[in-house]
Amino acid sequence: MEPTVYFVIPCYNEEAVLPETCSRLTEKLDSMREKALIGPGSRILFVDDGSKDKTWELIAQYNRENPWVEGVKLAHNRGHQNALLCGLMTAMPLCDCAISMDADLQDDIDALDQFVTKFREGCDVVYGVRNKRETDTWFKRTTAEGFYKVMKTLGVDVVFNHADYRLMSKRALEGLSEYREVNLFLRGIVPLIGYRSDYVYYDRHERFAGESKYPLKKMLSFALDGITSFSVKPLKLISNLGILISALSVFGLLYALISYFAGVTVSGWTAIVCSIWLLGGLQMLCLGVVGGYIGKIYSEVKARPRFRVETYLQNKQEK
Ligand code: UDP
Ligand code: MG
């Protein structure tokens, strides 16, 4: 029996790319169906992450016209990771496996056959890994690759150059559903689930149209602690203050040294002033880091819902 595969695609203000994404995926699914790679119950599941443009109208229209398409509308914008989780959890009871990918066609859809083939060979998780990062700017490439290295050094098990293009079997999804964290970082969680896994290598394309929803600031905060919670911000301010004061202490240090050599100080003053500045800055920095962890505990303890589904448009049309 061919597996029922759900293609889960989070979309935030993607009206510029959706028509193309939908038509290319439809074509792809038709051909996979012809090759008997996927079953007739397979679906493309677009998750509208509280878009402000016409994204949802488009999804609803495709859902009426195209038997492959289903849509979930979130009640508000919850960010890529939460939107993805919502899509995967919606697909879980309905599918044999789900493949997550971006709406902007950056993830090569021609690699989809290989994902499904590996699944049929018995893999529960298949990671999409980029061959090269030529389409990214030098800055994005360097920071992203640096990030993977830092994560590895810190002992976090992440797959190098793998974003969120991946296949998960039903039981892997059930495993995922047991992870209840609010600070969601899926590529950190998935390797923890276990089961047999494999890799599919692909070339990452340029964003097809529209703008990246991950500007530098968003990327940094994603890298630092997954999804930021509004209540953690004051704590972050403390560590920023610490950095600022540490930097200022260098000037304080210069000033103290110059005064010393100019002979306008009492002895011992220099050492005291330098250590006050340096240690004060360092203490605030450390306090900020500790505060960051407390902030995370705070949001985890509250365990607020990670997403709320407003509408789910299923598709029962015959394919
Ligand atoms: N996205 C989302 N919610 C957000 C931001 C982004 O669902 O708040 C989706 C977006 O529509 C896209 C995917 O996440 O399908 C990846 O975003 P993007 O392509 O902008 O990131 P980049 O590829 O530039 O890192
Ligand atoms: Mg993209």
Side-chain angles (χ1 to χ4, degrees):
M1 254 283 278
E2 301 102 343
T4 300
V5 184
Y6 264 66
F7 301 81
V8 177
I9 304 178
C11 310
Y12 178 57
N13 294 344
E14 298 286 12
E15 64 179 5
V17 298
L18 264 188
E20 182 70 14
T21 307
C22 186
S23 76
R24 283 211 220 163
L25 269 175
T26 304
E27 224 173 273
K28 185 72 199 165
L29 263 67
D30 284 336
S31 93
M32 289 172 89
R33 178 80 194 107
E34 263 164 42
K35 285 188 256 176
L37 265 175
I38 57 171
S42 300
R43 293 288 180 266
I44 305 166
L45 178 63
F46 289 114
V47 183
D48 175 24
D49 187 15
S51 299
K52 293 180 187 72
D53 62 3
K54 295 238 166 345
T55 300
W56 179 247
E57 282 81 350
L58 286 175
I59 296 172
Q61 180 198 335
Y62 299 147
N63 171 258
R64 287 189 300 272
E65 296 168 357
N66 184 333
W68 288 121
V69 176
E70 296 194 342
V72 172
K73 181 175 166 49
L74 293 192
H76 45 203
N77 180 243
R78 295 294 293 124
H80 179 204
Q81 298 287 296
N82 287 307
L84 192 54
L85 181 76
C86 165
L88 294 174
M89 291 303 108
T90 309
M92 183 172 75
L94 308 164
C95 70
D96 294 316
C97 66
I99 302 177
S100 51
M101 54 195 297
D102 287 354
D104 53 9
L105 297 171
Q106 284 195 284
D107 302 326
D108 182 19
I109 61 171
D110 290 323
L112 287 171
D113 300 31
Q114 293 178 58
F115 277 91
V116 178
T117 309
K118 298 229 187 235
F119 168 70
R120 299 184 79 169
E121 284 164 9
C123 288
D124 280 277
V125 182
V126 185
Y127 299 101
V129 176
R130 309 175 185 196
N131 280 326
K132 45 190 187 315
R133 280 182 167 265
E134 275 161 10
T135 51
D136 284 344
T137 59
W138 175 86
F139 185 76
K140 184 147 187 171
R141 193 168 63 229
T142 320
T143 46
E145 288 184 349
F147 164 67
Y148 288 109
K149 283 181 191 141
V150 170
M151 293 290 275
K152 267 259 144 48
T153 320
L154 294 175
V156 186
D157 186 14
V158 283
V159 178
F160 192 69
N161 267 347
H162 157 70
D164 284 301
Y165 192 19
R166 86 173 79 74
L167 176 146
M168 293 176 78
S169 68
K170 192 190 194 82
R171 63 174 180 173
L173 290 171
E174 282 161 0
L176 176 66
S177 71
E178 286 164 19
Y179 289 79
R180 307 229 157 263
E181 51 237 72
V182 177
N183 294 283
L184 201 57
F185 187 65
L186 288 171
R187 32 189 125 154
I189 299 174
V190 175
L192 298 176
I193 298 170
Y195 296 128
R196 200 176 129 192
S197 65
D198 206 341
Y199 307 98
V200 164
Y201 296 88
Y202 71 100
D203 292 327
R204 191 152 160 103
H205 304 299
E206 213 79 67
R207 177 173 252 278
F208 168 73
E211 275 172 14
S212 170
K213 311 297 180 286
Y214 273 99
L216 176 67
K217 209 172 132 221
K218 229 171 166 184
M219 231 171 71
L220 278 179
S221 88
F222 180 62
L224 283 174
D225 53 17
I227 290 143
T228 43
S229 146
F230 58 92
S231 53
V232 182
K233 275 184 185 154
L235 296 164
K236 279 201 178 138
L237 267 177
I238 299 176
S239 43
N240 291 344
L241 196 66
I243 294 169
L244 187 75
I245 289 178
S246 301
L248 282 178
S249 77
V250 175
F251 294 104
L253 202 118
L254 283 175
Y255 168 67
L257 283 176
I258 291 167
S259 312
Y260 173 73
F261 285 116
V264 289
T265 56
V266 282
S267 82
W269 179 83
T270 317
I272 290 172
V273 165
C274 291
S275 41
I276 287 175
W277 279 93
L278 282 170
L279 288 177
L282 266 179
Q283 278 171 347
M284 280 202 204
L285 178 64
C286 297
L287 204 66
V289 173
V290 176
Y293 282 98
I294 294 177
K296 284 209 160 172
I297 298 170
Y298 179 54
S299 50
E300 295 297 345
V301 164
K302 281 184 292 183
R304 288 182 178 165
R306 293 174 287 185
F307 53 81
R308 177 158 294 112
V309 174
E310 188 175 311
T311 318
Y312 174 33
L313 297 176
Q314 240 181 326
N315 205 327
K316 304 253 187 224
Q317 299 173 60
E318 279 295 314
K319 185 64 213 177

